[in-house]
Amino acid sequence: DKVSKLLEGQANERHIKIILKGESFSLCQANDIIELIPYLLLDNAIKYSMCYKDVYVVFDESPNSLVVSVKSFSQRPENKEIPHLRERGYRSKMNSQDVGGKGLGLYLADLICINSDITMDISVGDNTTEDIYGQKYSDFIVRLDFSSIKFEK
């Protein structure tokens, strides 16, 4: 919630709402750097999302696990590019044309996840549309699975 408020101005400039679904009140034993992950993922989602398309953060918590998904409607990378999006400095051909950046957001988030035993998956939706400029867009989902971390209630 705090990160969504922090990035609200950036989202408003692009006419994007950050919608939080679900909640989690669990505490976990993890390095403090883990708190940077929500900022990196939301900043990335807002930056690459199509204007006027909302960004969703979904919390799916059960007694022994927590999965958090960040979903935006963004320019669709080619399937062969998806595994490379975690590499330092890598930018999808589709996104590098229109959006400034250094290719660090997903790289840093993944690096933090690896060092914190969090699984980070990146996927795109099957439903692809094209905007008026001929660019392909689809859902872009980053899913964080905290199942390997011990939670406290």
Side-chain angles (χ1 to χ4, degrees):
D1 189 47
K2 186 188 303 185
V3 173
S4 68
K5 299 289 186 231
L6 183 67
L7 292 170
E8 194 171 50
Q10 180 181 335
N12 287 340
E13 288 176 11
R14 299 183 47 81
H15 307 282
I16 295 170
K17 291 180 188 162
I18 301 169
I19 299 172
L20 305 177
K21 292 185 170 193
E23 54 194 6
S24 174
F25 296 103
S26 296
L27 300 174
C28 66
Q29 293 287 331
N31 194 325
D32 289 342
I33 192 90
I34 198 172
E35 295 178 14
L36 187 56
I37 295 172
Y39 180 86
L40 291 168
L41 296 182
L42 274 178
D43 177 63
N44 210 59
I46 293 165
K47 185 184 329 180
Y48 290 105
S49 184
M50 179 184 249
C51 289
Y52 298 97
K53 294 289 187 176
D54 297 334
V55 171
Y56 294 87
V57 180
V58 179
F59 296 87
D60 184 13
E61 185 174 30
S62 66
N64 297 317
S65 71
L66 172 64
V67 175
V68 180
S69 300
V70 178
K71 182 175 85 167
S72 60
F73 193 73
S74 307
Q75 287 188 16
R76 182 181 174 76
E78 297 292 327
N79 288 339
K80 65 184 178 185
E81 293 180 305
I82 294 171
H84 300 287
L85 295 176
R86 303 166 192 247
E87 295 173 10
R88 182 183 180 118
Y90 186 86
R91 307 220 28 238
S92 165
K93 290 178 186 174
M94 295 293 286
N95 287 332
S96 64
Q97 298 169 8
D98 301 326
V99 179
K102 304 274 187 210
L104 294 175
L106 293 176
Y107 163 75
L108 290 173
D110 189 52
L111 190 62
I112 294 167
C113 288
I114 290 169
N115 290 319
S116 303
D117 294 326
I118 300 166
T119 304
M120 183 173 107
D121 296 314
I122 300 170
S123 62
V124 294
D126 294 329
N127 187 13
T128 303
T129 61
E130 293 188 22
D131 75 354
I132 57 173
Y133 301 110
Q135 300 289 339
K136 291 182 180 180
Y137 284 80
S138 70
D139 287 334
F140 186 88
I141 303 135
V142 179
R143 184 178 169 270
L144 301 173
D145 187 338
F146 293 85
S147 297
S148 298
I149 295 179
K150 183 172 179 138
F151 285 95
E152 302 170 9
K153 297 293 176 182

